[in-house]
Amino acid sequence: MLNDSVCPDCGRSWADFRREHELGCPSCYASLRLQLKAHLSGRCGQRDQPGPENLHDQVQDCRRHLLLRAQEAAVAREDYEEAARLRTLLTGGEA
Amino acid sequence: MELRQGDAAAVLLFSQLQLARNLEGHRFFTTAGISEREQIFTELEAFRAQFFPELELVGESSQSPEKTELAIERLDAPPALRGMQGPWSEFRESGGRREIFLGCGEQIIFRTRRPGCDLLSGLEDLADWEELARDNLALAHDEHFGWLTADPELAGPGLSVQVCAFLPALFWTRRLEQTGEALAAMGFRLRSAVEEKNSALVWLENAHAFGWTEAELAARLEELASRVRTEEENALEDLAQERDAELRDAVLRSQAVLGSCCLLTREELLRRLEFCAMGARLRWLPEDRWALAALLYLSTGDAHLRAMAGEVASEADPHLDDLRASAVVKAWKDA
């Protein structure tokens, strides 16, 4: 039954998508929502898509996260000099 | 093509990010009819002309098929352009590394390329362009699926991240397949970067994007690429230890062939370049041979040679082997 769903805007069906691996228009996401959710969770895991965020902020957060991880690893291997250098970077100073 | 000339450690040659966005209220480009394609293209072109008037037009749909094929072979066009009938256009920042593609499978693509593997900085390159698109175009977005794309596995961030890597030691030790399997289990993949299906020059890329933020994807691939680089170094060390005489012989023979051959098939050339690249990494040959080998690997395919010759030769035309040999010998001697 779900396989018979058709997008009212572009006429693309779930069977069309299975054959061509491409959707026809943004409305396909609403029309084929259930099948797509199942398909994506099978292919990409169960994670929900995080909301859109400014790319500069994302990169800054990500760099901070990576520095924190590196600092933890340095402490774990008792490399305190490296841990101090990373701490300086984290607080915005120059290492 | 930006390669790290002279840097023998540059296993990871260059990286690129492509951010795809589509307009709300329109079909995706591949399913839209001709008049809707033109409408989409006009809207995107007006945005481009208003905010990026300084960009240079470097490619458009009036290109001949040979030139388009050549561009794809040289990695100068995103896969979404393959088979596109147009209209589409490519604009490049003068002297910069950023580009905009309009009217591809995904309607607008922002792309940046950097030498080495620096994907987070690449993402920063695109941040202001993406913000302009977000603020000035009605982009297709859904609370659950994120940015909407024709390929739903790209939905969410709409991001493709790629690192071009030269991995001759993994290729020759037959570990490349295992590396590919390990990457696939984590949602990433290895794909040949040249027309041959099996090659030592590969793209490391995300297989899907949904569920990730843009920065998470970039950071994850950076980390995996760094691990692949270590694997390549380990494989080369093993090869040099276990098959030293055999490898040294193959490197020196290949060096001689590349400097003096008269006819060279693409298949033989790739094997010779792989040996010379490994020889350069092991310092048996000058270090700059590594980058030269990668460059020749990319630029000696049949489509490229046909374009160089300014003619359309049949696939079996021995003239291509002649051309290939003279181009390689010249590059090898000039370096």
Side-chain angles (χ1 to χ4, degrees), chain A residues 9 12 17 22-26 29 33 37 39-40 43-44 47 49-50 52-56 58-59 62-63, chain B residues 26-28 30-31 121 124 127 131 134 142 144-145 149-150 152-153 155-156 208 211-216 219:
Chain A
D9 282 359
R12 185 151 288 212
F17 169 72
E22 271 195 356
L23 294 169
C25 69
Y29 280 88
R33 180 169 290 262
K37 274 187 170 181
H39 173 79
L40 289 176
R43 299 270 300 156
C44 315
R47 296 180 70 182
Q49 179 59 39
E53 202 189 325
N54 178 287
L55 295 185
H56 279 303
Q58 278 192 42
V59 171
C62 197
R63 286 215 164 106
Chain B
H26 284 291
R27 295 180 190 205
F28 296 128
T30 43
T31 47
S121 302
E124 279 184 313
E131 204 172 319
R134 201 190 286 206
D142 174 277
H144 176 77
F145 292 110
T149 47
E153 291 181 20
H208 45 73
W212 299 78
T213 66
E214 290 88 341
E216 280 173 345

Side-chain angles (χ1 to χ4, degrees), chain B residues 24-44:
Chain B
E24 185 61 62
H26 284 291
R27 295 180 190 205
F28 296 128
F29 215 79
T30 43
T31 47
I34 292 174
S35 66
E36 191 175 8
R37 280 186 187 189
E38 281 171 1
Q39 223 178 319
I40 297 165
F41 190 77
T42 305
E43 195 172 331
L44 293 174

Side-chain angles (χ1 to χ4, degrees), chain A residues 2-49:
Chain A
L2 280 175
N3 282 337
D4 296 338
S5 307
V6 170
C7 173
D9 282 359
C10 69
R12 185 151 288 212
S13 67
W14 182 245
D16 292 335
F17 169 72
R18 299 284 292 180
R19 196 173 51 248
E20 293 171 25
H21 307 288
E22 271 195 356
L23 294 169
C25 69
S27 303
C28 289
Y29 280 88
S31 316
L32 308 172
R33 180 169 290 262
L34 289 176
Q35 298 95 317
L36 274 174
K37 274 187 170 181
H39 173 79
L40 289 176
S41 68
R43 299 270 300 156
C44 315
Q46 296 286 346
R47 296 180 70 182
D48 284 337
Q49 179 59 39

Side-chain angles (χ1 to χ4, degrees), chain B:
Chain B
M1 183 64 53
E2 292 175 310
L3 291 176
R4 283 179 161 182
Q5 294 286 351
D7 181 358
V11 170
L12 308 175
L13 300 170
F14 60 92
S15 47
Q16 66 181 26
L17 296 99
Q18 292 177 180
L19 207 51
R21 299 287 183 261
N22 292 282
L23 296 178
E24 185 61 62
H26 284 291
R27 295 180 190 205
F28 296 128
F29 215 79
T30 43
T31 47
I34 292 174
S35 66
E36 191 175 8
R37 280 186 187 189
E38 281 171 1
Q39 223 178 319
I40 297 165
F41 190 77
T42 305
E43 195 172 331
L44 293 174
E45 173 52 22
F47 164 74
R48 202 275 317 158
Q50 183 179 355
F51 295 101
F52 310 103
E54 73 286 3
L55 298 188
E56 293 167 2
L57 178 68
V58 290
E60 55 187 337
S61 50
S62 59
Q63 277 187 316
S64 68
E66 290 78 23
K67 281 186 178 169
T68 305
E69 191 186 343
L70 173 64
I72 289 166
E73 187 193 341
R74 290 172 52 216
L75 312 174
D76 278 355
L81 282 180
R82 202 179 289 270
M84 286 303 299
Q85 296 302 308
W88 64 267
S89 287
E90 175 191 355
F91 297 89
R92 189 172 297 156
E93 200 176 29
S94 173
R97 48 179 153 249
R98 296 185 292 183
E99 286 166 293
I100 292 179
F101 291 86
L102 302 182
C104 304
E106 306 295 348
Q107 295 165 1
I108 182 162
I109 292 176
F110 299 110
R111 185 172 80 173
T112 183
R113 185 185 288 171
R114 280 172 168 262
C117 179
D118 193 358
L119 290 164
L120 279 173
S121 302
L123 197 54
E124 279 184 313
D125 283 347
L126 297 181
D128 53 338
W129 284 13
E130 194 265 353
E131 204 172 319
L132 277 172
R134 201 190 286 206
D135 292 346
N136 295 284
L137 292 170
L139 297 174
H141 186 269
D142 174 277
E143 199 175 318
H144 176 77
F145 292 110
W147 300 110
L148 304 182
T149 47
D151 173 0
E153 291 181 20
L154 199 61
L159 181 67
S160 305
V161 282
Q162 298 176 304
V163 177
C164 188
F166 197 22
L167 308 170
L170 282 173
F171 183 76
W172 275 93
T173 50
R174 299 181 193 278
R175 295 182 204 170
L176 202 52
E177 204 173 312
Q178 283 170 280
T179 307
E181 283 166 13
L183 285 168
M186 291 180 275
F188 292 82
R189 65 185 167 213
L190 281 183
R191 181 170 57 84
S192 174
V194 290
E195 58 198 64
E196 290 76 14
K197 196 177 168 209
N198 294 311
S199 82
L201 193 72
V202 295
W203 283 118
L204 279 72
E205 60 189 9
N206 58 320
H208 45 73
F210 182 73
W212 299 78
T213 66
E214 290 88 341
E216 280 173 345
L217 256 186
R220 183 69 175 134
L221 187 60
E222 255 190 52
E223 186 193 338
L224 292 174
S226 161
R227 281 201 226 167
V228 169
R229 177 184 169 162
T230 307
E231 292 291 318
E232 167 69 13
E233 281 160 3
N234 293 342
L236 185 58
E237 257 181 53
D238 292 350
L239 209 50
Q241 272 175 15
E242 291 162 19
R243 302 172 76 173
D244 176 65
E246 224 177 312
L247 183 59
R248 202 178 283 268
D249 180 70
V251 168
L252 297 176
R253 278 173 192 269
S254 298
Q255 156 90 334
V257 168
L258 297 183
S260 61
C261 58
C262 296
L263 286 174
L264 198 53
T265 64
R266 171 80 170 152
E267 193 185 353
E268 181 182 359
L269 173 62
L270 297 188
R271 303 295 85 83
R272 300 286 181 200
L273 291 172
E274 286 151 11
F275 283 125
C276 285
M278 288 191 279
R281 295 292 311 284
L282 293 163
R283 298 177 191 275
W284 297 344
L285 299 182
E287 286 184 43
D288 63 356
R289 299 292 144 152
W290 169 267
L292 179 60
L295 193 61
L296 289 172
Y297 213 98
L298 271 173
S299 62
T300 53
D302 290 354
H304 193 111
L305 292 177
R306 277 191 206 111
M308 267 173 58
E311 64 186 38
V312 178
S314 77
E315 285 196 8
D317 192 341
H319 183 52
L320 288 183
D321 294 346
D322 185 351
L323 268 177
R324 184 177 290 113
S326 57
V328 168
V329 169
K330 183 174 185 320
W332 209 254
K333 283 185 173 167
D334 287 352

